Amino acid sequence: MATSLGSNTYNRQNWEDSDFPILCQTCLGENPYIRMTKEKYGKECKICARPFTVFRWCPGVRMRFKKTEVCQTCSKMKNVCQTCLLDLEYGLPIQVRDTGMSIKDDIPRSDVNKEYYTQNMEREIQNSDSTRPVGMLGKAQNPSDMLLKLARATPYYKRNRPHICSFWVKGECKRGEECPYRHEKPTDPDDPLADQNIKDRYYGINDPVADKLLKRASSMPRLDPPEDKSITTLYIGGLGENVTDSELRNNFYQYGEIRAITLVQRQQCAFIQFATRQGAELAAEKTFNKLIINGCRLAVKWGRSQAAKETDVKDGFDEMGTGLEPVPGLPTTLPPPPALEEEAPANYFNLDPSSSPALMNISLPPPPGLPNPPPSGHICDPGPQNQS
């Protein structure tokens, strides 16, 4: 312990005693009815090294038991969870949050300065209304768009899974399905995410998870406005079945006058048409990868002009430029006939094309009532006939 039980009475009076921990929704678990064990002054805080009340609980079925790691004073100074040390508002590491909000909070590291700083922060916490963070975080300006894009919309309960069974990795685990640990192949030991430190997470330095998220933020796509200035419609995808017209209007009316909202329940999407191009551009900038309604993150894209829609439909694309799937059961497109270099004349009588066509004299029968004409050419005299 940092202080003995009898030598320093002042520090002993400032030991933390609380009735409930400060936790995020992920660490608390999805079960609303959990049982916690409370141990007064059970361990020392891993940041300030002062004794505090330790809580231990199981967040769900087939999950590992979790406990608080830091005291509530250190938690309130950074507005983080006492267990995972992630930000309570965005669910992100402290390094990512401070980078997005342009905060440079230099907490002292030495024991004496740290104790003095902690006592001043406790006094500030007691004098505040407990609705806003204290310190540099309480003086920060509005968050950047990067935090809203990286923040999780729903809790990540997969983080509460048990650790990997080391005996199973060596092939010596005999518990089978009763083993409380996971029987999975461990990750690569050279992976930077396998080496995490709780103090680096709290002070916001050398955090591999934060470095991964910052790299992802730098490579995130952007929504550029189309060149056609007449387009003032935004496409909203992934609505689900419970999103209504009024909820969309309540989220988008602040960016400009809305001319029309068209809901397509079959495709779970909507089209929002603004009265001005400026309002549409502002709405696209403020809601791209940040729009969350009823716990669902919605996709925001620009609409397309009527000429582009007709061209895409002819080429096999829908209104948003996505390729259309072929309908099963329909015949495929017939191939074009082979091109002939020289079109051969029609041979209706199956004559030999190498021989010249023979001249044929075809005489038509005379009209009725007229004698038959003599045959063309020479006239044959039959001569005298013998009469008997």
Side-chain angles (χ1 to χ4, degrees):
M1 302 297 242
T3 56
S4 64
L5 295 178
S7 60
N8 198 331
T9 307
Y10 176 77
N11 287 338
R12 186 177 178 182
Q13 291 176 352
N14 290 337
W15 288 357
E16 180 186 289
D17 183 16
S18 56
D19 295 329
F20 197 81
I22 301 175
L23 302 174
C24 63
Q25 190 174 356
T26 300
C27 292
L28 194 58
E30 56 184 344
N31 186 6
Y33 305 101
I34 60 174
R35 179 178 298 176
M36 285 187 178
T37 59
K38 174 183 176 182
E39 185 179 3
K40 191 175 182 179
Y41 311 141
K43 286 184 175 294
E44 65 178 17
C45 176
K46 294 186 177 180
I47 303 300
C48 64
R50 297 188 304 171
F52 73 105
T53 302
V54 178
F55 294 88
R56 189 172 182 269
W57 72 98
C58 182
V61 182
R62 300 293 298 177
M63 300 293 179
R64 73 176 187 271
F65 276 83
K66 309 192 76 172
K67 60 183 179 65
T68 52
E69 304 291 346
V70 298
C71 64
Q72 291 197 2
T73 302
C74 295
S75 172
K76 292 178 181 178
M77 285 192 302
K78 290 282 190 175
N79 193 33
V80 295
C81 173
Q82 282 189 262
T83 300
C84 63
L85 269 67
L86 296 179
D87 185 76
L88 292 174
E89 185 176 357
Y90 303 104
L92 298 173
I94 297 177
Q95 184 176 350
V96 178
R97 183 200 64 191
D98 292 351
T99 303
M101 303 181 70
S102 302
I103 297 177
K104 189 177 181 181
D105 194 2
D106 296 331
I107 298 180
R109 307 295 178 86
S110 63
D111 295 339
V112 178
N113 293 337
K114 187 191 304 181
E115 184 69 22
Y116 177 75
Y117 181 83
T118 305
Q119 291 179 4
N120 291 336
M121 295 304 299
E122 282 184 340
R123 192 178 302 110
E124 184 178 350
I125 292 173
Q126 292 176 359
N127 297 332
S128 64
D129 56 356
S130 301
T131 59
R132 291 182 54 84
V134 296
M136 295 295 296
L137 184 60
K139 303 176 183 178
Q141 299 178 356
N142 295 331
S144 64
D145 296 340
M146 180 189 69
L147 299 181
L148 299 177
K149 293 179 182 179
L150 295 177
R152 286 188 177 273
T154 56
Y156 186 64
Y157 296 120
K158 194 176 180 180
R159 200 171 64 218
N160 300 331
R161 293 183 303 169
H163 297 294
I164 296 177
C165 179
S166 59
F167 288 91
W168 182 84
V169 175
K170 295 183 292 184
E172 300 177 358
C173 183
K174 300 179 181 180
R175 295 185 179 183
E177 296 181 356
E178 298 179 356
C179 182
Y181 299 96
R182 281 188 295 153
H183 288 182
E184 297 179 5
K185 184 180 179 180
T187 58
D188 187 6
D190 297 333
D191 187 3
L193 297 179
D195 185 15
Q196 302 184 29
N197 188 283
I198 189 171
K199 289 189 176 181
D200 292 344
R201 169 71 59 80
Y202 185 82
Y203 291 115
I205 55 173
N206 301 327
D207 189 356
V209 179
D211 294 338
K212 180 180 178 180
L213 291 175
L214 291 175
K215 291 180 181 179
R216 182 190 302 176
S218 60
S219 61
M220 290 183 69
R222 298 181 304 174
L223 185 63
D224 297 329
E227 297 180 358
D228 189 356
K229 297 296 183 180
S230 63
I231 299 177
T232 59
T233 304
L234 295 181
Y235 166 84
I236 312 299
L239 294 181
E241 299 179 355
N242 300 325
V243 179
T244 61
D245 181 285
S246 59
E247 291 177 339
L248 291 175
R249 189 176 298 273
N250 293 336
N251 281 274
F252 283 92
Y253 82 95
Q254 54 185 327
Y255 305 115
E257 181 183 354
I258 297 177
R259 181 172 298 172
I261 296 180
T262 305
L263 279 174
V264 185
Q265 294 293 350
R266 183 178 180 182
Q267 299 181 358
Q268 296 186 355
C269 65
F271 295 91
I272 302 178
Q273 184 180 10
F274 286 85
T276 60
R277 176 60 179 259
Q278 182 179 3
E281 291 183 358
L282 182 60
E285 178 184 357
K286 296 295 183 181
T287 60
F288 180 65
N289 279 347
K290 296 174 288 186
L291 181 60
I292 299 176
I293 299 179
N294 295 338
C296 298
R297 186 182 296 273
L298 306 183
V300 179
K301 300 179 181 179
W302 279 97
R304 303 174 70 86
S305 61
Q306 189 65 27
K309 291 180 183 178
E310 296 176 357
T311 304
D312 289 343
V313 170
K314 292 180 180 179
D315 296 340
F317 295 90
D318 61 0
E319 296 180 355
M320 296 311 301
T322 307
L324 300 176
E325 298 181 358
V327 179
L330 294 180
T332 57
T333 306
L334 295 177
L340 299 178
E341 297 180 358
E342 294 181 359
E343 188 176 355
N347 189 359
Y348 300 105
F349 300 101
N350 296 327
L351 300 178
D352 188 6
S354 60
S355 61
S356 59
L359 296 177
M360 300 179 64
N361 294 326
I362 302 176
S363 60
L364 298 176
L370 296 178
N372 293 332
S376 60
H378 62 278
I379 300 176
C380 297
D381 187 7
Q385 296 180 0
N386 296 326
Q387 297 180 357
S388 57

